[in-house]
Amino acid sequence: MEKVTVITQILNANDQIAEENQGLLKNHRILALNLMASPGAGKTSLILQTAKALTGRARIGVVEGDVASRIDADKVASQHIPVIQINTGGECHLDAATVQKALKTLPLSEIDLLFIENVGNLICPVDFRLGEEIRVVVASVPEGDDKPYKYPGIFTAVNAVVLNKMDLAPYVDFSFDAIRKGITSLNRKAKLFQVSCRTGKGIPAWADWLEAQWRSKNKSGIAQK
Ligand code: MG
């Protein structure tokens, strides 16, 4: 008799755990964001500004991913925002299993929007799902307008691009049209926000969009929690 081989497509281990995380977050009506960027683009500053803008509208929680230190988690905790610091000890990205451990220690019933701040780089994080609904890349003006051309993978994979440090645009060689063209040539659907975390300009539009994403996932919003 001919042997029949059944090939079952299985998710790889990381994706399986990411799905568990997604289920857990969904049960708690939490919208999770995987926030990616180069080091110094302003991920933590964006989290702090967004939390301020959404005060009384949505409750923020944070998972901080860094190779070492708890500098960013201390900054977030000083604003009375629930936060867990993950130190990857050299790994260039977070993975679903590490995030799952963090989720077990966060007060999930007190969080509406969960920022997962990934390790700073534009390459490795994109290959590892964490259980997020939304993926965002922060690019900053001093990094240059060529980032989408050099790192197409990450710009293709995101729902939104936040262009930070717009206040520095007059002082550096930076073309908004060039970066916008680079982004739209890869990803027509990505929302593009221009902000300055230093001055607060552009933060309201970004925060409104994020709140709308959360509300559309949980039709009845905070009242249901
Ligand atoms: Mg940071």
Side-chain angles (χ1 to χ4, degrees), residues 143-206:
E143 291 171 70
D145 49 32
D146 55 3
K147 286 293 161 293
Y149 303 93
K150 289 186 171 176
Y151 302 95
I154 200 160
F155 285 89
T156 305
V158 293
N159 306 91
V161 178
V162 178
L163 196 50
N164 187 26
K165 309 190 190 180
M166 283 304 294
D167 53 311
L168 298 181
Y171 310 106
V172 292
D173 283 334
F174 180 86
S175 158
F176 177 69
D177 278 349
I179 196 164
R180 194 191 49 203
K181 257 187 212 158
I183 295 163
T184 51
S185 71
L186 295 164
N187 184 344
R188 292 201 160 273
K189 286 188 181 158
K191 293 281 291 176
L192 178 57
F193 296 95
Q194 298 177 67
V195 310
S196 163
C197 287
R198 196 176 67 81
T199 67
K201 201 172 173 196
I203 295 292
W206 150 254

Side-chain angles (χ1 to χ4, degrees), residues 43-197:
K43 297 184 293 302
T44 311
S45 303
L46 182 68
I47 291 169
L48 293 175
Q49 283 283 11
T50 312
K52 209 158 84 178
L54 290 177
T55 303
R57 291 159 62 186
R59 298 165 302 174
I60 309 294
V62 182
V63 174
E64 279 293 345
D66 280 296
V67 169
S69 91
R70 51 168 299 127
I71 295 170
D72 285 355
D74 287 343
K75 273 187 211 163
V76 172
S78 73
Q79 301 303 307
H80 311 290
I81 299 166
V83 57
I84 302 291
Q85 177 80 54
I86 296 172
N87 282 154
T88 62
E91 284 294 324
C92 56
H93 60 87
L94 290 176
D95 61 37
T98 321
V99 169
Q100 190 165 67
K101 277 184 211 150
L103 293 180
K104 284 180 181 155
T105 51
L106 276 171
L108 297 182
S109 58
E110 294 162 24
I111 295 170
D112 301 317
L113 275 171
L114 180 70
F115 284 89
I116 306 171
E117 182 181 331
N118 221 311
V119 179
N121 79 75
L122 293 173
I123 305 160
C124 326
V126 76
D127 290 328
F128 293 83
R129 287 266 167 198
L130 306 175
E132 74 275 12
E133 287 284 338
I134 292 184
R135 310 178 109 193
V136 176
V137 64
V138 185
S140 71
V141 163
E143 291 171 70
D145 49 32
D146 55 3
K147 286 293 161 293
Y149 303 93
K150 289 186 171 176
Y151 302 95
I154 200 160
F155 285 89
T156 305
V158 293
N159 306 91
V161 178
V162 178
L163 196 50
N164 187 26
K165 309 190 190 180
M166 283 304 294
D167 53 311
L168 298 181
Y171 310 106
V172 292
D173 283 334
F174 180 86
S175 158
F176 177 69
D177 278 349
I179 196 164
R180 194 191 49 203
K181 257 187 212 158
I183 295 163
T184 51
S185 71
L186 295 164
N187 184 344
R188 292 201 160 273
K189 286 188 181 158
K191 293 281 291 176
L192 178 57
F193 296 95
Q194 298 177 67
V195 310
S196 163
C197 287

